[in-house]
Amino acid sequence: MKWLLWTGIAFVVGGFTSLAITLGATGQLHFLEDLTSYSTGWMIIGVVLIIFGYLQKSKKSFQS
């Protein structure tokens, strides 16, 4: 499940990038434009995918 691990890493990187863009905005953000919670959500999903990928990888190594 190597692809699952890399997908998780991509979600975390994307979440951090989105958060950096949102926090770097110079203007006042409205509620609908505030994407901080979405960025955090993408990072959480990425971490879950990374953990799941490691668990699948370790499960395969124990079965071998």
Side-chain angles (χ1 to χ4, degrees):
M1 294 264 174
K2 192 179 252 188
W3 63 270
L4 193 62
L5 191 68
W6 286 108
T7 303
I9 292 171
F11 272 100
V12 171
V13 169
F16 273 118
T17 304
S18 177
L19 183 64
I21 291 170
T22 301
L23 294 178
T26 56
Q28 181 80 16
L29 294 176
H30 298 275
F31 177 73
L32 293 175
E33 294 173 335
D34 186 13
L35 302 175
T36 306
S37 59
Y38 293 112
S39 303
T40 307
W42 287 121
M43 287 185 274
I44 291 170
I45 291 171
V47 169
V48 168
L49 288 173
I50 291 170
I51 291 171
F52 188 71
Y54 273 125
L55 290 175
Q56 292 294 326
K57 185 177 178 181
S58 64
K59 186 178 177 182
K60 282 184 180 182
S61 65
F62 283 128
Q63 290 177 354
S64 298

